[in-house]
Each structure stands twice: as structure tokens, then as C-alpha cells.
Amino acid sequence: MNDNKTQVRVIIPASAEHIDLIRLTLYGIATKLGFSYETIEDMKVAAAEACNNAVLHAYGDHEEGEIEVRFEWDDDSFHIVVKDEGRSFNFREHADGREASLEGRPLQELQAGGLGIYLMQALMDDVQVSTASGTEVTLTKRLERNEVLT
Ligand SMILES: Nc1ncnc2c1ncn2[C@@H]1O[C@H](COP(=O)(O)OP(=O)(O)OP(=O)(O)O)[C@@H](O)[C@H]1O
Ligand SMILES: [Mg+2]
């Protein structure tokens, strides 16, 4: 993390009712950074999809778990990092133990089932996944030209 980077972390219980807190925090930070209303709405949808995946796929129905969301930004870009410590992506089971080599690869190379990941890719400038421990999804948006950093 370079010196100009700011980080805000929010940890929520992994349940659907708490995802609103991520949307609200994201709204606050993205507004402060000067993102347009449309871009903020797009980022809210993408972040909610990542959180939903953690709620639905990482932890079982009766398992306790947490989702950590880090908001990180510098002069160039804004990152939303959604991390869980639950079961990881199904593709690991199909990867014949090659999961380490999947680390950091673009998501389009991974076997993904539903719409959530495609939506994240469509709405953000970049989407990366790490499965080193649980799942960590990094959603990136470049700062828009006339955004003023405070
Ligand atoms: N945080 C996660 N933990 C474990 N597995 C995950 C996680 N995120 C995604 N996955 C796996 O990746 C698959 C694809 O996710 P994606 O969001 O694209 O589709 P979906 O959640 O199955 O359906 P949809 O989002 O359209 O309701 C999931 O079905 C799940 O197997
Ligand atoms: Mg999903």
C-alpha cells in the first residue's frame, strides 16, 4: 500500500440483512470522492453481488461468519475488497489441485455459474479474485476525471 492510499474497513456478520450497511458506507465514501450518481449505483450493485456471494456460497445456512469489506483509494483508483473466510469457489474442486495457479487470474478464465460475477465485470473497470484463504474479490473503479480527492 503506497503512502497516498487511504483505507476504511467495515466488518459485518455474513447475513443478507447487513449488506445494506456496505451499500451505505460505499455511498458515503464514493460521494466524498466525487463519483457520479450512476457510477455509485453501479458500484453498489457490484459490491452487493460480491457480498451476496459470500452470504450464500461461503458459509452454510447455520454457520457463523463475517464479511470484511475494505474500501481503498489513492489518486488513481478506488477499490472495494470483499473478503470472506468461508468455503471458496467451486472451481477449486475442478482444478485438480491447481488452485494456486488460479490466483490473481482474470475472472473470465474461471468456470463461473451465475450472473453475479458477470454483473461485477460489466459494472466495474476490473475484477480480481483470490482464493488463498476463503474468497477475496477486488472490485476496481478508476477515479473519474473531475473527482476531487478530500
Ligand atoms: N464468496 C464465495 N464463496 C464461495 N463460492 C463463491 C463465492 N463467490 C462465488 N462463488 C462461486 O461462484 C459461482 C458463481 O457466482 P455468481 O455470483 O456468478 O453466480 P451465482 O451466485 O451462482 O448466481 P447469481 O449471482 O446469478 O445469483 C457461485 O455459484 C459459487 O459457486
Ligand atoms: Mg452470485
Side-chain angles (χ1 to χ4, degrees), residues 42-121:
D42 286 353
M43 294 195 292
K44 277 164 64 180
V45 171
E49 285 294 330
C51 292
N52 255 317
N53 279 350
V55 169
L56 294 175
H57 306 303
Y59 303 108
D61 276 349
H62 304 290
E63 270 174 77
E64 299 273 314
E66 289 180 333
I67 304 172
E68 181 189 80
V69 181
R70 302 200 305 271
F71 301 95
E72 299 173 349
W73 64 94
D74 58 19
D75 293 346
D76 300 318
S77 51
F78 177 57
H79 308 280
I80 307 160
V81 184
V82 179
K83 175 153 184 51
D84 67 64
E85 293 289 347
R87 275 188 304 283
S88 206
F89 276 63
N90 286 350
F91 67 71
R92 294 178 95 179
E93 294 164 24
H94 305 298
D96 295 317
R98 289 168 51 242
E99 59 265 31
S101 67
L102 294 172
E103 185 75 320
R105 278 168 57 180
L107 272 177
Q108 54 265 31
E109 290 179 33
L110 310 178
Q111 301 291 315
L115 288 177
I117 288 166
Y118 295 107
L119 208 50
M120 291 179 224
Q121 289 178 314

